[in-house]
Amino acid sequence: MIEPSRPEVRQFVAAVNAGDRAALSATLTADATMSDDGTDRDLREWTEREIFTSNGTMAVESESDDGLDLLVRYTNSTWGVMNTRWHFVVADGRISRFETGQA
Protein backbone atom coordinates (compact mmCIF):
# COMPACT_ATOMS: atom_id res chain seq x y z
CA MET A 1 0.00 0.00 0.00
CA ILE A 2 1.26 3.49 -0.83
CA GLU A 3 0.40 6.81 0.73
CA PRO A 4 -1.08 9.35 -1.72
CA SER A 5 1.26 12.24 -2.49
CA ARG A 6 -1.43 14.96 -2.65
CA PRO A 7 -2.35 16.14 0.86
CA GLU A 8 -6.07 16.48 0.03
CA VAL A 9 -6.23 12.94 -1.33
CA ARG A 10 -4.10 11.58 1.51
CA GLN A 11 -6.50 13.16 4.05
CA PHE A 12 -9.51 11.72 2.18
CA VAL A 13 -8.03 8.19 2.27
CA ALA A 14 -7.10 8.54 5.95
CA ALA A 15 -10.64 9.71 6.82
CA VAL A 16 -12.20 6.79 4.94
CA ASN A 17 -9.86 4.29 6.61
CA ALA A 18 -10.59 5.77 10.06
CA GLY A 19 -14.34 5.74 9.45
CA ASP A 20 -14.31 9.42 10.43
CA ARG A 21 -17.31 11.30 8.98
CA ALA A 22 -16.15 14.71 10.24
CA ALA A 23 -12.65 14.29 8.83
CA LEU A 24 -14.02 13.16 5.46
CA SER A 25 -16.40 16.11 5.35
CA ALA A 26 -13.47 18.44 6.12
CA THR A 27 -11.67 17.22 2.96
CA LEU A 28 -14.63 18.19 0.73
CA THR A 29 -15.92 21.50 -0.56
CA ALA A 30 -19.43 22.44 0.59
CA ASP A 31 -20.80 21.69 -2.89
CA ALA A 32 -18.73 18.56 -3.60
CA THR A 33 -20.14 15.96 -5.99
CA MET A 34 -19.30 12.37 -6.86
CA SER A 35 -20.04 9.56 -9.27
CA ASP A 36 -19.90 5.78 -9.00
CA ASP A 37 -19.36 3.72 -12.17
CA GLY A 38 -20.20 6.77 -14.29
CA THR A 39 -23.48 7.67 -12.54
CA ASP A 40 -23.74 10.76 -10.35
CA ARG A 41 -24.83 9.88 -6.82
CA ASP A 42 -25.89 11.79 -3.73
CA LEU A 43 -22.54 12.20 -1.99
CA ARG A 44 -23.80 12.07 1.61
CA GLU A 45 -26.04 9.05 1.00
CA TRP A 46 -23.34 7.20 -0.95
CA THR A 47 -20.60 7.77 1.62
CA GLU A 48 -22.88 6.68 4.45
CA ARG A 49 -23.84 3.45 2.64
CA GLU A 50 -20.58 2.56 0.87
CA ILE A 51 -18.06 3.79 3.46
CA PHE A 52 -19.36 4.36 6.95
CA THR A 53 -22.09 1.77 7.64
CA SER A 54 -20.23 -0.88 5.64
CA ASN A 55 -16.76 -0.24 7.14
CA GLY A 56 -15.11 0.77 3.87
CA THR A 57 -11.33 0.91 3.60
CA MET A 58 -8.94 1.97 0.85
CA ALA A 59 -5.58 0.29 0.18
CA VAL A 60 -3.91 2.48 -2.44
CA GLU A 61 -2.00 0.37 -4.96
CA SER A 62 -0.80 3.15 -7.29
CA GLU A 63 -1.35 6.76 -8.25
CA SER A 64 -0.94 8.96 -11.31
CA ASP A 65 1.97 11.38 -11.59
CA ASP A 66 -0.25 14.29 -10.52
CA GLY A 67 -1.67 12.33 -7.57
CA LEU A 68 -5.28 12.80 -8.63
CA ASP A 69 -5.93 9.28 -9.93
CA LEU A 70 -5.64 6.22 -7.72
CA LEU A 71 -5.94 2.48 -8.19
CA VAL A 72 -7.31 1.13 -4.92
CA ARG A 73 -8.12 -2.22 -3.39
CA TYR A 74 -11.41 -1.19 -1.78
CA THR A 75 -13.02 -3.34 0.90
CA ASN A 76 -16.37 -3.06 2.64
CA SER A 77 -18.74 -5.44 4.37
CA THR A 78 -21.32 -5.19 1.57
CA TRP A 79 -19.21 -5.96 -1.52
CA GLY A 80 -16.05 -7.50 -0.08
CA VAL A 81 -12.77 -6.69 -1.85
CA MET A 82 -12.73 -5.04 -5.27
CA ASN A 83 -10.23 -3.23 -7.44
CA THR A 84 -11.40 0.34 -7.97
CA ARG A 85 -10.22 3.52 -9.63
CA TRP A 86 -10.65 6.94 -8.03
CA HIS A 87 -10.27 10.34 -9.68
CA PHE A 88 -10.21 13.54 -7.62
CA VAL A 89 -10.79 17.17 -8.58
CA VAL A 90 -9.23 19.61 -6.12
CA ALA A 91 -10.19 23.25 -5.69
CA ASP A 92 -8.62 25.57 -3.10
CA GLY A 93 -7.14 22.72 -1.07
CA ARG A 94 -10.31 20.64 -0.89
CA ILE A 95 -11.89 17.95 -3.02
CA SER A 96 -14.74 19.33 -5.13
CA ARG A 97 -15.49 16.04 -6.93
CA PHE A 98 -14.49 12.42 -6.87
CA GLU A 99 -15.31 9.69 -9.31
CA THR A 100 -14.96 6.03 -8.47
CA GLY A 101 -15.74 2.75 -10.16
CA GLN A 102 -14.50 -0.73 -10.75
CA ALA A 103 -11.05 -0.93 -12.30
Side-chain angles (χ1 to χ4, degrees), residues 15 19-28 52 94:
D20 188 333
R21 289 171 179 85
L24 184 68
S25 182
T27 69
L28 304 170
F52 299 118
R94 293 178 130 185

Side-chain angles (χ1 to χ4, degrees), residues 81-101:
V81 179
M82 62 190 122
N83 293 321
T84 57
R85 58 172 173 65
W86 295 72
H87 172 73
F88 296 90
V89 177
V90 174
D92 298 323
R94 293 178 130 185
I95 296 166
S96 61
R97 180 171 177 82
F98 69 88
E99 300 168 352
T100 186

Side-chain angles (χ1 to χ4, degrees), residues 15-81:
V16 168
N17 289 342
D20 188 333
R21 289 171 179 85
L24 184 68
S25 182
T27 69
L28 304 170
T29 63
D31 60 348
T33 61
M34 62 88 50
S35 71
D36 183 6
D37 282 327
T39 302
D40 279 2
R41 307 284 184 186
D42 178 277
L43 187 143
R44 307 293 175 225
E45 180 182 293
W46 187 91
T47 56
E48 189 62 29
R49 182 182 66 249
E50 299 293 336
I51 296 172
F52 299 118
T53 61
S54 62
N55 303 305
T57 60
M58 301 174 76
V60 179
E61 300 290 320
S62 66
E63 72 174 352
S64 61
D65 288 342
D66 65 4
L68 296 174
D69 294 284
L70 305 179
L71 288 178
V72 172
R73 195 173 66 251
Y74 189 76
T75 305
N76 71 21
S77 60
T78 302
W79 306 109
V81 179

